[in-house]
Amino acid sequence: MFEKYRHIIPDFESFLKAVETPQPYWFRVNTIKIGEKELVSRLSDKGFVLERFRDLNAYKIVSMPVKHPGATLEHSFGYYYVQDISSMVPALVLDPKPGELVLDMAAAPGSKTTLMAALMKNEGSIVANDTRASRLRALGSNVERLGVTNVMITKGDARTMDFKHLYDKILLDAPCSGEGVIRKNPKHGIPGDKEHRYFSQLQKSLIKNAWKHLDTGSKLVYSTCTFNPIENEDVVQYAVSKLGMEILQVEFPVPHVRGVSFWEGRDYSDISDYVMRIYPHLLNTGGMFIAVLEKR
Amino acid sequence: MQYLKKDDYRNYFRDVFGISEDILKKYHFYETSSSVWAYTGDAAPLSEAEVVGVRALRVRNITKPTTSFLRIIGKYATKNVVFIDDEQGSSFLSGESLIGVCQSLKGYVVVRTASDVLGCGLCRNGILISQVPKKYRPDITWL
Ligand SMILES: C[S@@+](CC[C@H](N)C(=O)[O-])C[C@H]1O[C@@H](n2cnc3c(N)ncnc32)[C@H](O)[C@@H]1O
């Protein structure tokens, strides 16, 4: 299914091997409730073997005494959140600060919302929105479990919704065809061209509404967990050429490559050097695309 | 939904659990028909919001603190706190009642071990009745 990406994914054979093997679990310590050292020592005492990634609050579970990484009292107390490191990057790149007003347009189940709340020390506000009731329930219970108190949850179509403010920062972690998480959910169907085009349209409508809700000079992080350039570079190029947004260089110390410059006759070389692609074989994670844009 | 700001609910947590004003002042309390929400955000709740912060109290018939909020501020409680050991803690989390731990306490209490706040309990006739919702009950396979 990934054959069509052979010429855009570096070291393609390793990529194929990575997506066919199970993915290790990662978590982050919920610093709203507990210190990193204390939690790590408690889990280690229970028999977890953990590996911290550089100086980030991101731990790979090398081995564990339970079947699922959430099967502990510490998890139930909201002391940690199981989350692939690739999925932490969009929130870390957006880097919301205490006191800021942040919009998370497609937020459920809240992996990035709850991370942003921790970065903001529960200060400022986050409006976390999604359309799907079942996913909103999961968002609600994660917010509650992690002790996140600066979030409001709304239910609406983020293409058209009026979010009532101009925001300091917006995260658009867009609905997508999900090629980067097939490793985690092998039952996920294989997306075709029609699906990529459908999502691309949806993502452009979403980014347009995001742009409307940004204050001048404010930052938007656009991310997806898929590989197809139609859902990634194409959407970013739309924001730059049609909405007049400025593209900023994404820098983050997690192994990545830059964006795709040419795809199916389209030229993205104006923005491709600014964006970031995390592939599963680089650090044995899920896949992620991340771009940072600013409203002029 | 309408969210009515009622910071007077701070008094509930001060009077019942002896939590200091210093801790409570960062929480704003918002009342809806059946709940009170604890919120530390600056932006006023949107009327569209389905959730604002963490539900702190249920207020329909009686005023009852939630386990979720006690797991946030319960560590600062100085009154109406029941300390139990880890073994009693797992019984309590599984929904069992405990005898002999309430001493002379009555009503809702913060239940905790040396290291963790487990949640809300009710002391009645000397028995500690677990108020921990089912979703927080540990599975037998958990560590
Ligand atoms: C990639 S997931 C978000 C994951 C989430 N940000 C996290 O980190 O936990 C995309 C989400 O977009 C939601 N969604 C789909 N269409 C939407 C729309 N029109 N408006 C708002 N959300 C939408 C989906 O329900 C889904 O939860």
Side-chain angles (χ1 to χ4, degrees):
Chain A
M1 68 168 289
F2 291 122
E3 203 48 43
K4 60 184 173 199
Y5 300 137
R6 182 178 282 278
H7 68 288
I8 61 168
I9 299 181
D11 194 4
F12 191 69
E13 295 308 321
S14 310
F15 166 84
L16 284 181
K17 217 181 279 163
V19 290
E20 274 154 23
T21 49
Q23 186 177 328
Y25 286 106
W26 292 75
F27 71 82
R28 65 181 161 82
V29 180
N30 179 26
T31 52
I32 289 173
K33 285 203 166 178
I34 198 170
E36 277 186 61
K37 267 205 188 119
E38 188 185 345
L39 195 258
V40 166
S41 113
R42 283 176 66 158
L43 291 182
S44 304
D45 287 348
K46 288 188 170 180
F48 279 72
V49 178
L50 306 172
E51 213 175 86
R52 187 176 201 244
F53 182 77
R54 300 204 186 168
D55 59 350
L56 293 183
N57 173 4
Y59 295 82
K60 182 161 85 177
I61 301 176
V62 178
S63 67
M64 58 185 175
V66 276
K67 273 211 183 106
H68 187 270
T72 67
L73 279 179
E74 284 78 5
H75 185 265
S76 166
F77 291 146
Y79 294 167
Y80 65 100
Y81 190 97
V82 178
Q83 180 176 16
D84 192 66
I85 188 171
S86 65
S87 142
M88 301 179 198
V89 177
L92 294 170
V93 165
L94 188 62
D95 193 25
K97 300 274 194 276
E100 289 183 331
L101 178 59
V102 177
L103 174 62
D104 189 352
M105 293 177 85
S111 318
K112 300 179 188 75
T113 315
T114 53
L115 168 52
M116 293 195 292
L119 297 173
M120 295 163 76
K121 300 187 169 24
N122 258 340
E123 293 167 26
S125 299
I126 304 176
V127 174
N129 176 75
D130 207 280
T131 36
R132 275 174 52 197
S134 62
R135 291 181 65 96
L136 279 165
R137 273 194 297 279
L139 170 62
S141 53
N142 281 325
V143 161
E144 193 175 83
R145 181 173 63 85
L146 296 213
V148 167
T149 49
N150 68 338
V151 167
M152 305 176 223
I153 299 181
T154 59
K155 177 169 187 277
D157 184 338
R159 289 177 289 191
T160 49
M161 177 117 161
D162 176 1
F163 290 106
K164 302 283 158 67
H165 292 280
L166 289 180
Y167 288 81
D168 297 321
K169 283 177 183 161
I170 297 183
L171 176 65
L172 173 53
D173 186 40
C176 68
S177 58
E179 293 164 316
V181 291
I182 286 175
R183 237 186 131 181
K184 216 169 66 182
N185 318 307
K187 281 188 218 122
H188 189 101
I190 296 168
D193 278 352
K194 213 168 129 193
E195 210 173 341
H196 295 309
R197 278 198 303 275
Y198 162 78
F199 277 112
S200 184
Q201 273 312 316
L202 173 61
Q203 290 150 350
K204 285 174 189 169
S205 309
L206 289 166
I207 211 168
K208 185 166 182 191
N209 201 28
W211 167 77
K212 284 188 187 158
H213 285 90
L214 269 179
D215 219 341
T216 314
S218 294
K219 259 204 297 191
L220 164 78
V221 165
Y222 175 78
S223 56
T224 75
C225 56
T226 208
F227 304 125
N228 200 295
I230 296 294
E231 298 183 50
N232 294 319
E233 283 81 357
D234 207 68
V235 178
V236 171
Q237 195 175 53
Y238 164 85
V240 171
S241 64
K242 295 285 191 312
L243 304 175
M245 296 188 81
E246 185 167 355
I247 178 102
L248 307 180
Q249 183 98 25
V250 194
E251 300 290 356
F252 203 77
V254 165
H256 61 273
V257 298
R258 290 294 165 193
V260 172
S261 303
F262 298 98
W263 176 255
E264 294 182 342
R266 292 168 206 240
D267 181 354
Y268 302 123
S269 53
D270 54 336
I271 53 121
S272 57
D273 279 348
Y274 292 85
V275 304
M276 176 187 278
R277 282 176 166 256
I278 298 173
Y279 286 121
H281 57 304
L282 302 178
L283 190 64
N284 201 7
T285 63
M288 207 76 205
F289 172 91
I290 302 133
V292 186
L293 294 148
E294 195 178 283
K295 183 166 182 172
R296 279 200 284 232
Chain B
M1 213 162 3
Q2 215 180 348
Y3 293 90
L4 280 179
K5 190 168 185 191
K6 289 207 177 160
D7 283 346
D8 280 357
Y9 280 109
R10 283 179 193 154
N11 300 345
Y12 173 90
F13 292 97
R14 184 196 62 202
D15 298 345
V16 177
F17 298 115
I19 296 171
S20 74
E21 294 284 349
D22 214 39
I23 297 296
L24 289 170
K25 70 177 181 216
K26 70 174 176 200
Y27 296 97
H28 294 291
F29 291 94
Y30 287 88
E31 196 182 70
T32 55
S33 56
S34 57
S35 299
V36 172
W37 303 82
Y39 176 60
T40 54
D42 304 323
L46 300 174
S47 56
E48 297 85 338
E50 301 193 344
V51 168
V52 171
V54 167
R55 188 182 274 120
L57 293 167
R58 303 221 177 241
V59 287
R60 189 155 274 166
N61 300 314
I62 33 153
T63 302
K64 175 182 171 182
T66 64
T67 281
S68 316
F69 191 55
L70 292 186
R71 283 183 175 187
I72 298 174
I73 57 153
K75 62 179 169 204
Y76 304 109
T78 55
K79 265 183 14 192
N80 287 313
V81 182
V82 171
F83 274 88
I84 53 180
D85 63 30
D86 289 346
E87 201 173 313
Q88 292 169 320
S90 30
S91 309
F92 175 79
L93 283 176
S94 309
E96 287 170 35
S97 298
L98 299 175
I99 299 170
V101 293
C102 276
Q103 313 297 343
S104 58
L105 297 177
K106 278 198 192 84
Y108 293 114
V109 291
V110 169
V111 180
R112 57 169 303 170
T113 60
S115 54
D116 304 296
V117 174
L118 307 184
C120 180
L122 174 62
C123 280
R124 188 188 279 155
N125 305 326
I127 299 172
L128 175 66
I129 308 162
S130 178
Q131 305 293 304
V132 174
K134 288 209 176 69
K135 62 180 174 189
Y136 288 138
R137 291 201 183 152
D139 187 273
I140 180 151
T141 63
W142 288 11
L143 274 183

